[in-house]
Amino acid sequence: MIPSSLRITLIIAVICYFIIILYFLKQRALNLKYTLLWLLSGAVLGILVIYPDLLSHIIRILGIEDNMNGLFIICIAFMLMIMMALTSIASRQNVKIRQLVQEIGILDKRIRELEQKQKQERKNVGN
Amino acid sequence: MDKKETKVLIIIPAYNEEENIAAVIEHLNSKILAGVFAEFSAVDYLIINDGSRDSTLEICGAQNFCYLNLPINLGIGGAVQAGYMFAKRNGYDIAVQMDGDGQHDISYLNDMIAPLLEDKADIVIGSRFLEKEGFQSSGIRRMGIKFLSFLIRLTTNRKIMDVTSGYRAVNKRFINIYVDDYPTDYPEPEAIVTAIMNKGRIMEVPVQMHAREGGSSSITFGKSVYYMIKVTLAILVCRLSYGIRR
C-alpha cells in the first residue's frame, strides 16, 4: 500500500498539475489538441492515487512487486508517449515549414518579374 | 515526345557556391547561345539559392541570372524539390537537376534527355562509373557508393551503379511525383528507391564528371559516417513504407 501521507502529497501534486494545464489553456499558451495526452495521463495518475487498490491490482498483473516502482513506470511510460508525440509534431511542422519556404521562393521570383515588367511599362509610357 | 514541343528546365541547387555559380551559368548560357538545344521548345535553367550565407544571392542578382531565393537553408533535397515545384507550375516536360559546383557537364544534356524523349525511361541518371572516365571520386567514397548500390539492389532488385550522382533528368510523371514526395537531407539514393517504388524506369547514361572547381563539398569526413548510417536507414525505411502501402 501507498502510505497515506504520500497519497495526500500525490493528490495535491495532481491537482497542481491540472491547475497549471488549465491555466495555460486559458491563456492560450497551449493548444488543446497537444494537451490531450497531458490531460489523459493526469487523469490516469489521479485515479490511481485516489483508488490505490486499483493501482496495486494493475501492478500485480504487470508483474511488478512494489507499488512505488509501478507508479514510476506508469509515469515514465506516459512521458515517453508524450515525447514521441512531440517528435512527431516537430517532424510534421518541419514538412510544413519546408513547403512554406519553397512557396516563398517561388513567390519571390514572381514578384521580381512583375516589378521588372512594371518598370519596363513605366519606361514605355515615359517615352 | 517531339523535341519541338518539349520544355526543359535545368534545376541547379546552390548553397554557398559564390566561387562556382557564375562559371556554371556562363558555360550553360554559351551552349544555349551556340544553339546546342535549339531543337527544343525551351531550355531554361533555374538556380535555387538555398539560403546561402556567402554572396551567391548577390551574384545571381547582379548578373541577372534566373533564380529562386529560399530564405532558409532547407538542404539539397528541399532546394531541388522547390525546383520541381517550379517546373510543375510552369508546365515543363522534363526537369534536369545538376550541381552548382561545376562537377556536372551540361554537354551531356542531350544524351540524358534522349531516353526520356523516346519514352525508354522515366528517370535518367548521369553515371560516372559506366565507362569509368573522368573524375571518379576517392577510393573510400567509391566503397560507400558501392555499398549503397548493393543495398538498393538487395532491397529493390534493380542495379544502379552511381546512386549518389546528383545529375539526373526526369519526365513529367516524376516531376509530379517528386513535388509531393522528395527526400530531404541526403536525398539522391533515397530518391532512386522512391522512383523504383513508384514503378519508374531508371536508366543510367555514362557521363564524365569534374572534380569540383572551388569551395568545398557538403559532405566532409566527419559527416560521412552519419551520411552512411542515415542513408542506409532511409533506404530501408523508404522500401518498407512503400511495401506496406502497396
Side-chain angles (χ1 to χ4, degrees):
Chain A
M1 278 304 289
I2 300 176
S4 53
S5 58
L6 180 62
R7 273 182 69 193
I8 292 167
T9 316
L10 286 176
I11 287 170
I12 293 170
V14 170
I15 290 170
C16 288
Y17 174 88
F18 273 111
I19 289 174
I20 291 170
I21 290 179
L22 291 176
Y23 175 77
F24 275 128
L25 279 176
K26 193 172 162 272
Q27 299 286 316
R28 296 181 190 266
L30 274 178
N31 195 330
L32 180 66
K33 191 177 145 194
Y34 299 139
T35 46
L36 287 178
L37 246 181
W38 292 97
L39 290 171
L40 176 74
S41 55
V44 170
L45 285 178
I47 291 168
L48 291 180
V49 172
I50 295 166
Y51 302 105
D53 294 340
L54 199 64
L55 174 69
S56 40
H57 203 74
I58 292 172
I59 281 167
R60 292 295 167 274
I61 293 171
L62 293 176
I64 301 160
E65 293 291 321
D66 189 56
N67 276 341
M68 284 312 296
N69 278 346
L71 208 54
F72 280 134
I73 286 176
I74 290 170
C75 279
I76 291 171
F78 271 116
M79 272 156 65
L80 282 178
M81 260 159 64
I82 288 167
M83 271 157 61
M84 218 122 51
L86 284 177
T87 311
S88 115
I89 291 164
S91 306
R92 252 176 289 158
Q93 284 180 342
N94 196 356
V95 173
K96 285 181 188 170
I97 291 171
R98 194 179 74 219
Q99 286 166 344
L100 276 178
V101 170
Q102 290 166 339
E103 200 66 45
I104 288 173
I106 291 174
L107 286 177
D108 172 77
K109 185 173 189 308
R110 273 184 68 185
I111 291 171
R112 267 184 281 127
E113 282 166 357
L114 283 173
E115 279 175 348
Q116 213 154 26
K117 221 175 169 184
Q118 211 177 22
K119 238 185 240 169
Q120 208 74 45
E121 270 165 20
R122 276 207 198 120
K123 243 187 226 165
N124 291 346
V125 171
N127 293 339
Chain B
M1 222 187 308
D2 193 8
K3 264 191 176 182
K4 279 175 204 144
E5 290 161 10
T6 307
K7 278 173 80 184
V8 180
L9 181 70
I10 302 165
I11 300 167
I12 307 169
Y15 175 61
N16 294 346
E17 295 288 5
E18 61 182 4
E19 293 173 47
N20 303 312
I21 195 72
V24 170
I25 300 304
E26 271 155 28
H27 186 225
L28 185 75
N29 273 334
S30 72
K31 295 276 175 185
I32 292 174
L33 283 178
V36 179
F37 314 121
E39 290 165 347
F40 292 99
S41 157
V43 173
D44 303 321
Y45 72 88
L46 180 70
I47 302 164
I48 322 283
N49 175 43
D50 187 15
S52 297
R53 274 171 293 169
D54 65 359
S55 59
T56 305
L57 176 63
E58 285 74 19
I59 291 171
C60 289
Q63 308 249 25
N64 226 350
F65 290 156
C66 182
Y67 67 94
L68 289 189
N69 181 39
L70 305 183
I72 301 171
N73 176 254
L74 291 182
I76 186 155
V80 168
Q81 194 179 32
Y84 284 122
M85 275 169 83
F86 184 87
K88 183 183 178 182
R89 295 205 189 158
N90 293 282
Y92 284 94
D93 304 293
I94 287 173
V96 179
Q97 57 177 91
M98 62 183 284
D99 289 355
D101 58 8
Q103 277 194 70
H104 302 151
D105 191 338
I106 193 67
S107 315
Y108 295 103
L109 193 81
N110 278 320
D111 297 343
M112 302 226 346
I113 292 177
L116 300 178
L117 291 173
E118 292 160 20
D119 200 26
K120 283 183 182 161
D122 297 307
I123 292 179
V124 177
I125 299 174
S127 170
R128 58 207 129 148
F129 304 134
L130 285 184
E131 289 182 354
K132 298 213 187 312
E133 281 174 20
F135 177 64
Q136 291 281 306
S137 194
S138 65
I140 189 124
R141 278 195 190 172
R142 275 210 304 279
M143 285 219 343
I145 293 168
K146 266 200 177 136
F147 169 74
L148 292 176
S149 171
F150 167 74
L151 190 69
I152 287 178
R153 200 176 174 187
L154 197 70
T155 50
T156 65
N157 205 13
R158 227 54 67 85
K159 190 179 178 190
I160 288 139
M161 305 272 280
D162 199 350
V163 293
T164 58
S165 164
Y167 196 7
R168 291 172 184 197
V170 312
N171 63 11
K172 205 164 196 168
R173 191 176 150 237
F174 272 88
I175 290 174
N176 290 330
I177 288 173
Y178 279 158
V179 164
D180 292 328
D181 186 4
Y182 198 78
T184 45
D185 243 8
Y186 304 114
E188 290 88 3
E190 210 183 326
I192 292 177
V193 180
T194 305
I196 293 171
M197 300 321 284
N198 280 296
K199 299 196 167 67
R201 296 161 296 163
I202 300 176
M203 189 186 269
E204 282 186 284
V205 163
V207 301
Q208 288 184 33
M209 291 192 190
H210 311 292
R212 49 183 299 124
E213 283 155 13
S216 58
S217 165
S218 57
I219 301 168
T220 58
F221 182 76
K223 284 185 193 158
S224 54
V225 174
Y226 169 74
Y227 177 91
M228 287 306 292
I229 294 172
K230 200 251 154 192
V231 173
T232 302
L233 280 175
I235 289 172
L236 294 176
V237 169
C238 184
R239 174 66 186 85
L240 280 176
S241 61
Y242 273 102
I244 293 163
R245 261 184 258 169
R246 258 196 303 189

